[in-house]
Amino acid sequence: MNDRLHRTRMLFGSAAVQKLNDAHVMIVGCGAVGSFAIEALARSGVGNFILVDFDTIEESNINRQLFATNTTIGTPKVLAAAERIHDICPDIHVDAQSIFFDENTKINCRPDFVIDAIDTVESKIALYKWCMTKNIPFISSMGAARKIDPTKIKYAQISETSVCPLAAKIRKIVREQKLDDFAVVYSTEVPNKTTAPNRTFGSVITVTGIFGLMMADYCIKNIIKS
């Protein structure tokens, strides 16, 4: 059989590919990290997506976000992501929700897996609690900005992380609120200190992309083993 997933099927087998096709994966944050996770999952055969992001594409996103091109500037990120997914495979179902995720967000679904690619601490904590309440497996991205060394990117439980300032903030909140431990992708590289006056951070696709691909890999293996 020579189809879109022929080589994936050669590696994992038909039963695993069917599991991926049946799976519902929610990705919260469709930017630098999330866009690569989405791309990898779509090309690996995940059949159902729930995409959550309130933002639109800007020219400054082009250096690191997969869905950001000259023709998509001004487009909601979830709609650009949905179009890309359907270009990869028209049969994939996409629920695109252009909303900001926080503790008041109401999403009436129970996905098989959740990928957290959000930037803000408060939204990340709200998503963790939502997943834990519904007993949904998930993985979270820690800080990918201000990093240039892809070899320092790792998997860990949040309790085992070090160096990353975002992970330190999350660890503290997790301890204080007595939340369960969970998987993350993070970097042990000391962040570059350069910031813009508006507190934006520099970032490069060779790091943010790997964060997203590693989270997709973790998700794929979780679904296949489930």
Side-chain angles (χ1 to χ4, degrees), residues 28 50 57 132 148 189:
V28 188
I50 303 147
I57 293 171
M132 290 175 187
I148 60 173
E189 180 182 359

Side-chain angles (χ1 to χ4, degrees), residues 27-31 51-56 77-78 97-100:
I27 301 93
V28 188
C30 300
L51 307 179
V52 180
D53 196 308
F54 74 100
D55 209 357
T56 57
K77 290 181 180 178
V78 291
Q97 302 200 25
S98 190
I99 58 174
F100 181 80

Side-chain angles (χ1 to χ4, degrees), residues 9-179:
R9 191 175 288 104
M10 288 175 67
L11 276 179
F12 296 133
S14 295
V17 169
Q18 187 62 51
K19 282 186 176 182
L20 292 168
N21 181 71
D22 294 340
H24 290 71
V25 177
M26 185 166 86
I27 301 93
V28 188
C30 300
V33 173
S35 64
F36 276 83
I38 293 165
E39 178 90 358
L41 293 172
R43 291 184 183 275
S44 298
V46 169
N48 304 275
F49 285 82
I50 303 147
L51 307 179
V52 180
D53 196 308
F54 74 100
D55 209 357
T56 57
I57 293 171
E58 301 176 359
E59 185 176 16
S60 61
N61 300 150
I62 291 175
N63 82 309
R64 67 199 184 282
Q65 297 187 17
L66 197 58
F67 310 134
T69 65
N70 284 327
T71 57
T72 60
I73 292 172
T75 304
K77 290 181 180 178
V78 291
L79 297 185
E83 184 176 354
R84 175 82 172 189
I85 290 169
H86 287 144
D87 202 24
I88 293 168
C89 179
D91 296 332
I92 295 174
H93 178 265
V94 181
D95 178 6
Q97 302 200 25
S98 190
I99 58 174
F100 181 80
F101 192 98
D102 61 18
E103 61 184 5
N104 298 314
T105 300
K106 305 296 182 185
I107 296 180
N108 297 318
C109 66
R110 191 192 180 283
D112 299 296
F113 197 91
V114 171
I115 286 179
D116 161 39
I118 314 173
D119 293 330
T120 59
V121 172
E122 293 80 7
S123 291
K124 294 175 92 66
I125 297 298
L127 182 58
Y128 304 155
K129 290 179 177 178
W130 186 83
C131 290
M132 290 175 187
T133 298
K134 292 180 174 289
N135 196 29
I136 300 168
F138 68 95
I139 189 167
S140 177
S141 172
M142 295 294 104
R146 299 190 292 161
K147 313 289 175 64
I148 60 173
D149 186 352
T151 67
K152 299 293 180 64
I153 303 170
K154 299 181 178 183
Y155 292 114
Q157 295 295 105
I158 186 62
S159 63
E160 301 168 347
T161 55
S162 61
V163 182
C164 174
L166 176 57
K169 291 179 183 178
I170 298 294
R171 280 199 315 274
K172 184 174 185 292
I173 296 171
V174 167
R175 285 197 304 270
E176 290 174 347
Q177 299 192 17
K178 295 181 171 58
L179 302 179

